[in-house]
Amino acid sequence: MPRIDPYKWKEYENKTLVHYHMMAKIYKKRYQRAADFQNTLYRFFGLITVVSSTIASTLAWGMNSNNDDINDGSTEDTISNNKELIVSTITTVSAVAAAIQNFYKFQENANNNITTAKAYAKLQNKLEIVGNIHPEYRVSNPSAFLKKINDKFDQISDSRTELSNFLT
């Protein structure tokens, strides 16, 4: 026999609960993907920086530059100039990759997106706890519960960075 309760969940409240659950799930996934993408960019530019600086330093150590000699236009001078150009180009690539990595703050943005995804995951779990109980046996007031959930969505929305729908 169903329990008679003044806090009866009607179809509208149940659909709203399902809607909130779907939105929390979508936002959680979006922010997790954004964090993964930004972590990938951070690692990619870090790898470029490390590899290019290693190559440049190896080439610089291996160069046989004799600055005291007079340039007579020989083949060795041309090769030496080419090596210096290559080393300076690779060093520039390393510096630019490191600057991009730091300027765009990929790691910091990824951490912020992970925090936002975790907040949506907590909200999703709260919705699932209530949603898994048959509507006739739920003890919480639907209006108060949905108001609290809506306020939590607003709070997370105020503290997050907006992302494109492309990451859904």
Short mmCIF file of all heavy atoms in Angstrom, two decimals, residues 40-93:
data_model
loop_
_atom_site.label_atom_id
_atom_site.label_comp_id
_atom_site.label_asym_id
_atom_site.label_seq_id
_atom_site.Cartn_x
_atom_site.Cartn_y
_atom_site.Cartn_z
N THR A 40 46.21 17.49 -22.45
CA THR A 40 46.92 17.01 -23.64
C THR A 40 47.76 18.13 -24.27
O THR A 40 48.92 17.91 -24.63
CB THR A 40 45.92 16.45 -24.67
OG1 THR A 40 45.20 15.38 -24.06
CG2 THR A 40 46.63 15.94 -25.90
N LEU A 41 47.17 19.32 -24.38
CA LEU A 41 47.92 20.45 -24.93
C LEU A 41 49.12 20.80 -24.05
O LEU A 41 50.20 21.09 -24.55
CB LEU A 41 47.01 21.67 -25.10
CG LEU A 41 45.99 21.59 -26.22
CD1 LEU A 41 45.09 22.82 -26.20
CD2 LEU A 41 46.68 21.46 -27.56
N TYR A 42 48.91 20.77 -22.74
CA TYR A 42 49.99 21.07 -21.80
C TYR A 42 51.14 20.08 -22.00
O TYR A 42 52.31 20.45 -22.08
CB TYR A 42 49.47 21.02 -20.37
CG TYR A 42 50.52 21.28 -19.33
CD1 TYR A 42 50.95 22.56 -19.05
CD2 TYR A 42 51.08 20.22 -18.61
CE1 TYR A 42 51.91 22.80 -18.09
CE2 TYR A 42 52.04 20.46 -17.65
CZ TYR A 42 52.45 21.75 -17.39
OH TYR A 42 53.40 21.98 -16.44
N ARG A 43 50.81 18.81 -22.07
CA ARG A 43 51.84 17.77 -22.25
C ARG A 43 52.50 17.86 -23.63
O ARG A 43 53.70 17.65 -23.76
CB ARG A 43 51.24 16.39 -22.04
CG ARG A 43 50.88 16.15 -20.59
CD ARG A 43 50.37 14.74 -20.37
NE ARG A 43 49.97 14.58 -18.99
CZ ARG A 43 48.77 14.21 -18.61
NH1 ARG A 43 47.85 13.92 -19.50
NH2 ARG A 43 48.49 14.09 -17.33
N PHE A 44 51.72 18.18 -24.65
CA PHE A 44 52.25 18.29 -26.00
C PHE A 44 53.28 19.42 -26.10
O PHE A 44 54.39 19.21 -26.60
CB PHE A 44 51.10 18.53 -27.00
CG PHE A 44 51.54 18.77 -28.40
CD1 PHE A 44 52.07 17.74 -29.16
CD2 PHE A 44 51.43 20.03 -28.97
CE1 PHE A 44 52.48 17.97 -30.46
CE2 PHE A 44 51.84 20.26 -30.26
CZ PHE A 44 52.37 19.23 -31.02
N PHE A 45 52.91 20.61 -25.61
CA PHE A 45 53.85 21.72 -25.67
C PHE A 45 55.04 21.49 -24.72
O PHE A 45 56.16 21.93 -25.01
CB PHE A 45 53.16 23.05 -25.36
CG PHE A 45 52.35 23.56 -26.50
CD1 PHE A 45 50.97 23.58 -26.45
CD2 PHE A 45 52.97 24.01 -27.66
CE1 PHE A 45 50.23 24.04 -27.52
CE2 PHE A 45 52.23 24.47 -28.73
CZ PHE A 45 50.85 24.48 -28.66
N GLY A 46 54.82 20.80 -23.63
CA GLY A 46 55.93 20.44 -22.75
C GLY A 46 56.89 19.49 -23.43
O GLY A 46 58.12 19.63 -23.32
N LEU A 47 56.35 18.52 -24.16
CA LEU A 47 57.19 17.58 -24.90
C LEU A 47 58.00 18.29 -25.98
O LEU A 47 59.19 18.04 -26.13
CB LEU A 47 56.32 16.48 -25.52
CG LEU A 47 57.06 15.42 -26.34
CD1 LEU A 47 57.93 14.58 -25.42
CD2 LEU A 47 56.08 14.55 -27.09
N ILE A 48 57.34 19.19 -26.70
CA ILE A 48 58.05 19.96 -27.73
C ILE A 48 59.19 20.76 -27.09
O ILE A 48 60.30 20.81 -27.62
CB ILE A 48 57.09 20.89 -28.48
CG1 ILE A 48 56.15 20.08 -29.37
CG2 ILE A 48 57.85 21.91 -29.33
CD1 ILE A 48 55.07 20.90 -30.03
N THR A 49 58.92 21.37 -25.95
CA THR A 49 59.94 22.17 -25.27
C THR A 49 61.12 21.32 -24.86
O THR A 49 62.28 21.67 -25.10
CB THR A 49 59.33 22.87 -24.04
OG1 THR A 49 58.24 23.68 -24.47
CG2 THR A 49 60.35 23.71 -23.31
N VAL A 50 60.85 20.19 -24.23
CA VAL A 50 61.93 19.32 -23.75
C VAL A 50 62.74 18.75 -24.90
O VAL A 50 63.97 18.78 -24.89
CB VAL A 50 61.35 18.20 -22.86
CG1 VAL A 50 62.39 17.15 -22.56
CG2 VAL A 50 60.80 18.78 -21.57
N VAL A 51 62.06 18.24 -25.91
CA VAL A 51 62.76 17.61 -27.04
C VAL A 51 63.59 18.64 -27.80
O VAL A 51 64.77 18.41 -28.11
CB VAL A 51 61.76 16.89 -27.97
CG1 VAL A 51 62.41 16.48 -29.27
CG2 VAL A 51 61.17 15.68 -27.27
N SER A 52 63.00 19.79 -28.10
CA SER A 52 63.74 20.79 -28.87
C SER A 52 64.91 21.37 -28.08
O SER A 52 65.98 21.61 -28.64
CB SER A 52 62.81 21.89 -29.36
OG SER A 52 62.18 22.54 -28.29
N SER A 53 64.73 21.59 -26.79
CA SER A 53 65.87 22.10 -26.01
C SER A 53 66.96 21.04 -25.88
O SER A 53 68.15 21.38 -25.88
CB SER A 53 65.41 22.58 -24.64
OG SER A 53 64.89 21.52 -23.87
N THR A 54 66.59 19.78 -25.79
CA THR A 54 67.59 18.71 -25.74
C THR A 54 68.36 18.62 -27.05
O THR A 54 69.59 18.51 -27.04
CB THR A 54 66.90 17.36 -25.45
OG1 THR A 54 66.17 17.45 -24.23
CG2 THR A 54 67.90 16.24 -25.36
N ILE A 55 67.65 18.69 -28.14
CA ILE A 55 68.32 18.65 -29.45
C ILE A 55 69.23 19.86 -29.63
O ILE A 55 70.37 19.73 -30.08
CB ILE A 55 67.27 18.56 -30.58
CG1 ILE A 55 66.57 17.21 -30.55
CG2 ILE A 55 67.92 18.78 -31.95
CD1 ILE A 55 65.38 17.11 -31.49
N ALA A 56 68.74 21.04 -29.26
CA ALA A 56 69.55 22.25 -29.42
C ALA A 56 70.81 22.19 -28.57
O ALA A 56 71.90 22.57 -29.02
CB ALA A 56 68.72 23.48 -29.07
N SER A 57 70.67 21.73 -27.33
CA SER A 57 71.85 21.67 -26.47
C SER A 57 72.83 20.60 -26.95
O SER A 57 74.05 20.81 -26.91
CB SER A 57 71.46 21.42 -25.01
OG SER A 57 70.82 20.17 -24.89
N THR A 58 72.32 19.50 -27.46
CA THR A 58 73.20 18.46 -28.02
C THR A 58 73.96 18.99 -29.23
O THR A 58 75.17 18.78 -29.36
CB THR A 58 72.38 17.21 -28.40
OG1 THR A 58 71.68 16.74 -27.26
CG2 THR A 58 73.28 16.12 -28.94
N LEU A 59 73.25 19.68 -30.11
CA LEU A 59 73.91 20.25 -31.28
C LEU A 59 74.92 21.34 -30.89
O LEU A 59 75.98 21.45 -31.49
CB LEU A 59 72.87 20.81 -32.26
CG LEU A 59 72.02 19.79 -33.01
CD1 LEU A 59 70.98 20.51 -33.86
CD2 LEU A 59 72.89 18.90 -33.88
N ALA A 60 74.55 22.13 -29.90
CA ALA A 60 75.45 23.20 -29.48
C ALA A 60 76.74 22.62 -28.88
O ALA A 60 77.83 23.15 -29.12
CB ALA A 60 74.76 24.10 -28.47
N TRP A 61 76.61 21.54 -28.13
CA TRP A 61 77.80 20.91 -27.56
C TRP A 61 78.65 20.26 -28.65
O TRP A 61 79.87 20.21 -28.56
CB TRP A 61 77.41 19.84 -26.55
CG TRP A 61 77.15 20.40 -25.19
CD1 TRP A 61 75.95 20.74 -24.67
CD2 TRP A 61 78.12 20.70 -24.20
NE1 TRP A 61 76.09 21.24 -23.41
CE2 TRP A 61 77.43 21.22 -23.08
CE3 TRP A 61 79.51 20.59 -24.12
CZ2 TRP A 61 78.08 21.63 -21.92
CZ3 TRP A 61 80.14 20.98 -22.95
CH2 TRP A 61 79.43 21.50 -21.89
N GLY A 62 78.00 19.78 -29.68
CA GLY A 62 78.72 19.08 -30.74
C GLY A 62 79.28 19.99 -31.81
O GLY A 62 80.03 19.54 -32.67
N MET A 63 78.91 21.25 -31.77
CA MET A 63 79.39 22.16 -32.80
C MET A 63 80.87 22.43 -32.62
O MET A 63 81.37 22.58 -31.52
CB MET A 63 78.61 23.48 -32.77
CG MET A 63 77.26 23.37 -33.40
SD MET A 63 76.26 24.87 -33.37
CE MET A 63 77.41 26.18 -33.44
N ASN A 64 81.53 22.51 -33.73
CA ASN A 64 82.95 22.82 -33.71
C ASN A 64 83.11 24.22 -34.27
O ASN A 64 83.49 24.41 -35.41
CB ASN A 64 83.73 21.79 -34.55
CG ASN A 64 85.21 21.98 -34.46
OD1 ASN A 64 85.70 22.73 -33.61
ND2 ASN A 64 85.94 21.32 -35.34
N SER A 65 82.77 25.21 -33.42
CA SER A 65 82.86 26.58 -33.91
C SER A 65 84.16 27.20 -33.44
O SER A 65 84.49 27.19 -32.25
CB SER A 65 81.67 27.40 -33.43
OG SER A 65 81.81 27.73 -32.09
N ASN A 66 84.87 27.69 -34.35
CA ASN A 66 86.13 28.38 -34.06
C ASN A 66 85.91 29.85 -34.38
O ASN A 66 86.07 30.28 -35.51
CB ASN A 66 87.27 27.82 -34.90
CG ASN A 66 87.56 26.37 -34.57
OD1 ASN A 66 87.38 25.97 -33.42
ND2 ASN A 66 87.98 25.60 -35.55
N ASN A 67 85.55 30.61 -33.37
CA ASN A 67 85.27 32.02 -33.58
C ASN A 67 86.55 32.83 -33.79
O ASN A 67 86.49 33.95 -34.28
CB ASN A 67 84.48 32.59 -32.40
CG ASN A 67 83.09 31.98 -32.33
OD1 ASN A 67 82.57 31.55 -33.34
ND2 ASN A 67 82.52 31.97 -31.14
N ASP A 68 87.69 32.27 -33.40
CA ASP A 68 88.94 33.00 -33.54
C ASP A 68 89.46 32.95 -34.97
O ASP A 68 90.30 33.77 -35.36
CB ASP A 68 90.01 32.44 -32.60
CG ASP A 68 89.60 32.60 -31.14
OD1 ASP A 68 88.79 33.51 -30.85
OD2 ASP A 68 90.08 31.80 -30.31
N ASP A 69 89.02 31.98 -35.74
CA ASP A 69 89.49 31.85 -37.11
C ASP A 69 88.84 32.92 -37.98
O ASP A 69 87.75 33.40 -37.71
CB ASP A 69 89.15 30.47 -37.69
CG ASP A 69 89.91 29.36 -36.97
OD1 ASP A 69 90.90 29.69 -36.28
OD2 ASP A 69 89.49 28.20 -37.11
N ILE A 70 89.53 33.25 -39.06
CA ILE A 70 89.01 34.21 -40.02
C ILE A 70 88.17 33.45 -41.03
O ILE A 70 88.58 32.41 -41.53
CB ILE A 70 90.16 34.96 -40.73
CG1 ILE A 70 91.00 35.70 -39.70
CG2 ILE A 70 89.63 35.89 -41.80
CD1 ILE A 70 92.25 36.34 -40.28
N ASN A 71 86.97 33.98 -41.32
CA ASN A 71 86.11 33.33 -42.30
C ASN A 71 86.72 33.50 -43.67
O ASN A 71 86.89 34.63 -44.15
CB ASN A 71 84.71 33.94 -42.28
CG ASN A 71 83.94 33.51 -41.05
OD1 ASN A 71 84.30 32.55 -40.41
ND2 ASN A 71 82.88 34.25 -40.73
N ASP A 72 87.05 32.40 -44.29
CA ASP A 72 87.60 32.46 -45.63
C ASP A 72 86.63 31.93 -46.68
O ASP A 72 87.00 31.71 -47.81
CB ASP A 72 88.94 31.72 -45.71
CG ASP A 72 88.82 30.25 -45.29
OD1 ASP A 72 87.69 29.83 -44.93
OD2 ASP A 72 89.83 29.54 -45.33
N GLY A 73 85.37 31.72 -46.26
CA GLY A 73 84.36 31.26 -47.20
C GLY A 73 84.44 29.79 -47.49
O GLY A 73 83.86 29.32 -48.46
N SER A 74 85.13 29.04 -46.68
CA SER A 74 85.28 27.61 -46.94
C SER A 74 83.99 26.87 -46.62
O SER A 74 83.05 27.42 -46.05
CB SER A 74 86.43 27.04 -46.12
OG SER A 74 86.09 27.06 -44.75
N THR A 75 83.96 25.61 -46.97
CA THR A 75 82.79 24.77 -46.75
C THR A 75 82.54 24.58 -45.26
O THR A 75 81.39 24.53 -44.83
CB THR A 75 83.01 23.40 -47.42
OG1 THR A 75 83.58 23.58 -48.69
CG2 THR A 75 81.71 22.66 -47.56
N GLU A 76 83.59 24.50 -44.48
CA GLU A 76 83.43 24.32 -43.03
C GLU A 76 82.73 25.51 -42.41
O GLU A 76 81.93 25.36 -41.49
CB GLU A 76 84.79 24.09 -42.37
CG GLU A 76 85.39 22.74 -42.68
CD GLU A 76 86.75 22.55 -42.02
OE1 GLU A 76 87.09 23.34 -41.12
OE2 GLU A 76 87.44 21.61 -42.39
N ASP A 77 83.03 26.72 -42.88
CA ASP A 77 82.37 27.91 -42.35
C ASP A 77 80.88 27.91 -42.70
O ASP A 77 80.04 28.29 -41.88
CB ASP A 77 83.02 29.18 -42.90
CG ASP A 77 84.41 29.40 -42.32
OD1 ASP A 77 84.67 28.88 -41.22
OD2 ASP A 77 85.22 30.10 -42.96
N THR A 78 80.55 27.46 -43.90
CA THR A 78 79.16 27.39 -44.32
C THR A 78 78.41 26.36 -43.49
O THR A 78 77.28 26.61 -43.04
CB THR A 78 79.07 27.01 -45.81
OG1 THR A 78 79.85 27.92 -46.57
CG2 THR A 78 77.64 27.04 -46.30
N ILE A 79 79.03 25.22 -43.24
CA ILE A 79 78.41 24.19 -42.42
C ILE A 79 78.24 24.70 -40.99
O ILE A 79 77.20 24.49 -40.37
CB ILE A 79 79.24 22.88 -42.46
CG1 ILE A 79 79.16 22.26 -43.85
CG2 ILE A 79 78.76 21.89 -41.40
CD1 ILE A 79 80.08 21.06 -44.03
N SER A 80 79.24 25.39 -40.48
CA SER A 80 79.17 25.94 -39.14
C SER A 80 78.04 26.96 -39.04
O SER A 80 77.29 26.98 -38.06
CB SER A 80 80.51 26.58 -38.75
OG SER A 80 80.41 27.16 -37.48
N ASN A 81 77.90 27.81 -40.04
CA ASN A 81 76.82 28.79 -40.05
C ASN A 81 75.46 28.11 -40.13
O ASN A 81 74.49 28.54 -39.49
CB ASN A 81 76.99 29.77 -41.23
CG ASN A 81 78.13 30.73 -41.01
OD1 ASN A 81 78.56 30.95 -39.87
ND2 ASN A 81 78.65 31.30 -42.09
N ASN A 82 75.36 27.04 -40.91
CA ASN A 82 74.11 26.29 -41.00
C ASN A 82 73.76 25.64 -39.67
O ASN A 82 72.60 25.62 -39.26
CB ASN A 82 74.20 25.23 -42.10
CG ASN A 82 74.15 25.83 -43.49
OD1 ASN A 82 73.72 26.97 -43.66
ND2 ASN A 82 74.61 25.07 -44.48
N LYS A 83 74.78 25.11 -38.99
CA LYS A 83 74.54 24.50 -37.67
C LYS A 83 74.07 25.56 -36.67
O LYS A 83 73.16 25.31 -35.88
CB LYS A 83 75.80 23.82 -37.15
CG LYS A 83 76.11 22.51 -37.82
CD LYS A 83 77.34 21.87 -37.20
CE LYS A 83 77.68 20.54 -37.85
NZ LYS A 83 78.89 19.95 -37.27
N GLU A 84 74.68 26.72 -36.71
CA GLU A 84 74.26 27.80 -35.81
C GLU A 84 72.83 28.22 -36.10
O GLU A 84 72.05 28.49 -35.18
CB GLU A 84 75.21 28.99 -35.93
CG GLU A 84 76.56 28.74 -35.30
CD GLU A 84 77.53 29.90 -35.50
OE1 GLU A 84 77.10 30.98 -35.99
OE2 GLU A 84 78.70 29.74 -35.16
N LEU A 85 72.46 28.27 -37.37
CA LEU A 85 71.10 28.61 -37.75
C LEU A 85 70.12 27.55 -37.25
O LEU A 85 69.05 27.87 -36.72
CB LEU A 85 70.98 28.76 -39.27
CG LEU A 85 69.59 29.07 -39.80
CD1 LEU A 85 69.13 30.44 -39.32
CD2 LEU A 85 69.57 29.00 -41.32
N ILE A 86 70.49 26.30 -37.41
CA ILE A 86 69.63 25.20 -36.95
C ILE A 86 69.47 25.25 -35.43
O ILE A 86 68.36 25.12 -34.90
CB ILE A 86 70.19 23.84 -37.41
CG1 ILE A 86 70.03 23.69 -38.92
CG2 ILE A 86 69.49 22.69 -36.70
CD1 ILE A 86 70.74 22.49 -39.50
N VAL A 87 70.58 25.45 -34.72
CA VAL A 87 70.52 25.51 -33.25
C VAL A 87 69.66 26.69 -32.80
O VAL A 87 68.82 26.55 -31.90
CB VAL A 87 71.94 25.59 -32.64
CG1 VAL A 87 71.88 25.95 -31.17
CG2 VAL A 87 72.67 24.28 -32.83
N SER A 88 69.84 27.85 -33.43
CA SER A 88 69.04 29.01 -33.03
C SER A 88 67.56 28.81 -33.37
O SER A 88 66.68 29.23 -32.60
CB SER A 88 69.58 30.29 -33.66
OG SER A 88 69.44 30.25 -35.07
N THR A 89 67.26 28.14 -34.47
CA THR A 89 65.87 27.86 -34.83
C THR A 89 65.23 26.90 -33.84
O THR A 89 64.11 27.12 -33.37
CB THR A 89 65.79 27.26 -36.26
OG1 THR A 89 66.39 28.17 -37.17
CG2 THR A 89 64.36 26.98 -36.66
N ILE A 90 65.95 25.85 -33.50
CA ILE A 90 65.42 24.88 -32.55
C ILE A 90 65.25 25.51 -31.17
O ILE A 90 64.26 25.25 -30.47
CB ILE A 90 66.31 23.62 -32.50
CG1 ILE A 90 66.22 22.87 -33.84
CG2 ILE A 90 65.89 22.69 -31.37
CD1 ILE A 90 67.18 21.72 -33.96
N THR A 91 66.19 26.35 -30.78
CA THR A 91 66.08 27.05 -29.49
C THR A 91 64.87 27.98 -29.49
O THR A 91 64.15 28.08 -28.49
CB THR A 91 67.37 27.85 -29.21
OG1 THR A 91 68.48 26.95 -29.25
CG2 THR A 91 67.32 28.52 -27.85
N THR A 92 64.63 28.64 -30.61
CA THR A 92 63.46 29.52 -30.73
C THR A 92 62.17 28.70 -30.63
O THR A 92 61.22 29.13 -29.96
CB THR A 92 63.51 30.30 -32.06
OG1 THR A 92 64.73 31.03 -32.13
CG2 THR A 92 62.34 31.23 -32.20
N VAL A 93 62.12 27.55 -31.27
CA VAL A 93 60.94 26.68 -31.18
C VAL A 93 60.70 26.28 -29.73
O VAL A 93 59.57 26.29 -29.24
CB VAL A 93 61.11 25.43 -32.09
CG1 VAL A 93 60.07 24.38 -31.76
CG2 VAL A 93 61.04 25.82 -33.55
#
